[in-house]
Amino acid sequence: MTTAPYGTWTSPITAADLAASGHPVSGARFVGNEVWWAESRPTEGGRTAIRKAGPVNVIEAPFDARTTVHEYGGGAWAVSDDGRLVFSNMSDQRVYVVNDGVPTALTPDTGSRARYGELSVRGDEIWCVRETHSPGGRIRRDICVVPLDGSPARSVVSGSRFLAFPRVSPDGRRLAWIAWDHPQMPWDGTELRCAYLGADGTVGEWTVLAGGPEESVLQPEWIDNDDLYAISDISGWWNIYRFEVEGGLPTPIGAVDADIGAPLWQLGSHWFAPVDDRLLTVRTVGTDTLAFLDPATGQFTDIDLGDHTSVDLLEVDGTRVLLRTGGATVPSGIRILDSTTMELTDIRLALDDVPDTVYLPVAQQMTFQGPEREVHTVVYPPRNPEYTGPDGTLPPFIAFVHGGPTAHVAPRLDTVYAFFTSRGYGVVDVNYGGSSGYGREYRNRLRGQWGVVDVEDTVAAVRGLAEQGIADGSRLAIEGGSAGGWTVLAALTSSDVFACGASYYGVAELEKFVKETHDFESRYIDGLIGPLPEAAELYRSRAPLNNVDGLNCPVLLLQGLNDPIVTPAQAERFRDALVKKGIPHRYIAYPGEAHGFRRAETIIDARESELAFYNQYL
């Protein structure tokens, strides 16, 4: 074994490996005896292909099964009863049906002004959420029906800024759905609505069954023609309730101090599904647990998935359950669970080649004490069988700050982390206050405190690592994207803990951001900081751009030039401030990339640039 300074170790895991081997997989469907799934293809310009065993493509390039409803999309494809694929295409946002391998457009060409998400097929109709952009900037959303025969779409109901989860009752007479309006985000407050469908297939008046500004309701599912299950966080945790659509109080089904639900960033998500007379559920407290819930008794029967600590429930067909699972020692992937034998079968993993386990870090869940609150983290110490650090030295550490800021991280096999840890850098993933997976109170810690609590919690985590002799407190870095990039820039401008930082498409200031960003998040800052104009001074005082005088360390800025969510102007303004103050920095802009890098060449360059940056300054 070679003794060498931490951060200088040679690793077989390259940035090219991250791009060439990795192809994130997401939604999946049973199609007869086959499984079809969505797969991001970095080597094909980042397009999302629908694929099946082989693997082979169900649709070929240039078709790209993605929707930009809410910009983050979700539910971009579905399959009809007779096995035909329907999908929303990224380049023109039209809905297509595949007949005999040939995609045919079902919706008119509007220049991407009409967008369709959360597609589901009922008989000869596609039910979905439609988002329409008028030339003057007005945005309207409705639940609509797109006939498979190509006839014009029919609007079913609107009435709110945002809509999700259209669910038709078994007899076809009623519709249930979720709705909310600015300034709420769907994890703050939504309404569960229900109405009769008229003779023309549209909704008139509706009834609100649950929800409000301080209650987030998700995923209604019909039990029969008169009763619904839905998720509500009225107790402080997202739990399942039974609702009688004609009235009566909701009944909790399996009350538990855990979240059966998550922030609705993308349409089409779900966290429970009927299996015979039980419900298959995914509940979260730090990590995920798959369990059967008996509605009659409220008892959970947990399913042991071994090292699979992250679970997404995709679809159920009899005893076959489609999941996306992963963990600290197993790569994320699409798998089938046999609910009788509890056997898991791999269908498609997100990695073609998993690095040798001796180069993978061992994840450790650790909790640190921040200012008056605990902070949950996952720690990945350096690991390489060929190297050790010099006696008496400690490794540099990189704090990874997730986006959202409502996202949640659990122990996982992440080749990006291994890329760094196999070179002698430690990594700590921080679930700062505001993260999901720990109940509503933990999420609400960030209300009015964005740029304060997230920074304090991240600082508490890395200081805790240094105090426990795990990290070198003089060699700490911080990196994050989007809302995580905001925390990076806020931490660098308001503390002296970090030696450098890397911001991927991070928010740098707020007053222009709320004017430039997309509709879905245009009022998000009301809850995170405060409403305008009342909170204008807070917007200015919290913005990293206005606090560059407190910055004395190098910054790496990485930005997609086609980003509609955090526009390039955010990074460019911060870059200009760094130039003015003479702070060492590098700004890298990527044409053709939006919010989240998808192309192989971008992924390679970004990670190599980040590594070189740490090598220079740590």
Side-chain angles (χ1 to χ4, degrees):
M1 183 176 288
T2 301
T3 298
Y6 292 106
T8 67
W9 302 350
T10 300
S11 169
I13 303 172
T14 68
D17 293 332
L18 306 184
S21 176
H23 42 77
V25 291
S26 51
R29 303 282 190 277
F30 289 113
V31 184
N33 292 322
E34 296 181 325
V35 174
W36 295 4
W37 66 87
E39 181 175 316
S40 179
R41 305 290 299 161
T43 55
E44 298 180 41
R47 84 176 183 105
T48 295
I50 307 303
R51 313 193 85 194
K52 61 182 180 179
V56 297
N57 293 332
V58 181
I59 50 170
E60 299 291 349
F63 289 102
D64 182 351
R66 279 191 287 158
T67 173
T68 57
V69 174
H70 298 174
E71 294 298 342
Y72 293 103
W77 65 284
V79 180
S80 67
D81 292 339
D82 57 4
R84 290 183 291 168
L85 173 69
V86 298
F87 68 97
S88 178
N89 185 49
M90 181 63 183
S91 63
D92 56 13
Q93 289 298 293
R94 301 172 77 183
V95 176
Y96 288 76
V97 60
V98 180
N99 296 305
D100 298 323
V102 180
T104 301
L106 295 176
T107 57
D109 187 357
T110 63
S112 296
R113 291 196 303 273
R115 311 167 183 186
Y116 306 82
E118 197 162 2
L119 276 59
S120 64
V121 181
R122 179 180 171 85
D124 58 0
E125 297 178 326
I126 304 167
W127 286 72
C128 56
V129 175
R130 177 171 58 182
E131 177 179 291
T132 306
H133 294 246
S134 299
R138 180 175 176 269
I139 298 173
R140 180 181 184 271
R141 296 180 181 89
D142 63 346
I143 292 170
C144 80
V145 169
V146 178
L148 282 168
D149 64 7
S151 55
R154 177 181 80 249
S155 180
V156 177
V157 68
S158 182
S160 280
R161 190 78 173 204
F162 302 99
L163 304 161
F165 295 109
R167 297 290 191 268
V168 180
S169 62
D171 62 6
R173 297 176 63 233
R174 286 186 171 111
L175 177 71
W177 71 100
I178 298 295
W180 70 98
D181 287 287
H182 283 320
Q184 270 72 44
M185 299 300 286
W187 44 89
D188 295 325
T190 62
E191 289 185 350
L192 169 59
R193 296 176 179 174
C194 186
Y196 281 104
L197 291 165
D200 60 353
T202 67
V203 164
E205 295 185 1
W206 60 74
T207 300
V208 176
L209 300 180
E214 295 295 329
E215 179 184 3
S216 172
V217 189
L218 303 169
Q219 196 193 337
E221 302 289 356
W222 289 96
I223 304 169
D224 50 38
N225 292 320
D226 300 305
D227 300 277
L228 285 164
Y229 289 128
I231 296 168
S232 167
D233 71 348
I234 192 67
S235 71
W237 298 88
W238 274 309
N239 280 192
I240 301 173
Y241 292 77
R242 182 178 183 128
F243 295 88
E244 299 176 18
V245 297
E246 293 295 346
L249 295 175
T251 304
I253 306 296
V256 62
D257 287 348
D259 277 331
I260 303 174
L264 190 67
W265 282 101
Q266 289 190 308
L267 297 172
S269 301
H270 60 288
W271 300 270
F272 71 92
V275 180
D276 297 326
D277 58 350
R278 298 179 294 175
L279 298 176
L280 188 62
T281 65
V282 178
R283 70 178 190 273
T284 306
V285 181
T287 57
D288 296 337
T289 301
L290 186 69
F292 282 111
L293 169 59
D294 184 345
T297 65
Q299 296 299 307
F300 289 89
T301 303
D302 293 350
I303 298 171
D304 184 2
L305 296 180
D307 292 335
H308 299 254
T309 53
S310 293
V311 183
D312 292 323
L313 180 57
L314 303 177
E315 190 171 75
V316 176
D317 178 28
T319 61
R320 301 185 303 164
V321 180
L322 262 180
L323 304 169
R324 183 176 65 174
T325 68
T329 60
V330 288
S332 176
I334 305 295
R335 297 174 170 92
I336 292 179
L337 172 71
D338 185 319
S339 63
T340 56
T341 66
M342 301 304 168
E343 179 181 358
L344 271 180
T345 302
D346 292 346
I347 299 298
R348 179 64 166 164
L349 303 184
L351 296 173
D352 286 329
D353 300 303
V354 179
D356 190 321
T357 55
V358 297
Y359 293 99
L360 298 177
V362 177
Q364 304 170 16
Q365 294 187 75
M366 299 182 69
T367 300
F368 297 97
Q369 187 61 40
E372 303 179 4
R373 57 187 176 269
E374 60 184 10
V375 182
H376 301 291
T377 73
V378 185
V379 178
Y380 302 85
R383 189 177 185 219
N384 186 317
E386 301 168 11
Y387 289 91
T388 186
D391 289 343
T393 66
L394 294 171
F397 255 76
I398 308 163
F400 274 66
V401 186
H402 65 64
T406 62
H408 168 258
V409 291
R412 56 182 171 168
L413 193 165
D414 191 318
T415 53
V416 172
Y417 297 170
F419 176 75
F420 291 112
T421 58
S422 61
R423 288 172 166 78
Y425 291 98
V427 166
V428 55
D429 238 341
V430 186
N431 278 316
Y432 51 85
S435 303
S436 56
Y438 302 96
R440 186 174 184 112
E441 182 181 349
Y442 200 88
R443 292 200 314 276
N444 284 352
R445 288 179 180 181
L446 210 56
R447 281 196 171 181
Q449 296 297 309
W450 196 36
V452 178
V453 165
D454 48 330
V455 170
E456 290 177 348
D457 287 1
T458 305
V459 168
V462 295
R463 279 180 169 161
L465 288 168
E467 290 167 0
Q468 294 189 27
I470 298 172
D472 183 342
S474 67
R475 293 191 293 162
L476 300 172
I478 180 172
E479 82 103 75
S482 189
W486 156 276
T487 303
V488 168
L489 300 179
L492 295 178
T493 55
S494 64
S495 75
D496 59 0
V497 174
F498 298 101
C500 61
S503 169
Y504 283 73
Y505 35 88
V507 178
E509 64 80 58
L510 296 173
E511 289 178 282
K512 292 184 176 67
F513 169 76
V514 297
K515 296 177 182 178
E516 296 168 345
T517 193
H518 63 135
D519 182 58
F520 181 67
E521 291 182 84
S522 62
R523 297 290 301 277
Y524 192 8
I525 311 303
D526 284 33
L528 292 173
I529 303 287
L532 288 173
E534 296 88 342
E537 185 52 42
L538 267 181
Y539 279 45
R540 298 178 190 122
S541 65
R542 295 268 183 89
L545 181 64
N546 297 332
N547 294 310
V548 173
D549 285 345
L551 177 63
N552 291 292
C553 69
V555 183
L556 174 65
L557 302 169
L558 305 107
Q559 178 70 44
L561 291 180
N562 291 5
D563 193 338
I565 297 170
V566 179
T567 64
Q570 290 282 314
E572 291 163 0
R573 293 182 189 113
F574 201 82
R575 174 205 59 193
D576 293 346
L578 295 174
V579 170
K580 186 176 181 180
K581 194 185 177 189
I583 297 290
H585 67 279
R586 188 179 180 196
Y587 172 57
I588 309 175
Y590 296 103
E593 292 285 4
H595 202 65
F597 299 156
R598 301 177 64 90
R599 300 178 177 183
E601 59 270 27
T602 305
I603 295 169
I604 293 169
D605 186 77
R607 290 305 176 189
E608 287 182 343
S609 298
E610 188 180 354
L611 176 63
F613 186 75
Y614 296 147
N615 287 344
Q616 181 177 359
Y617 293 111
L618 294 183

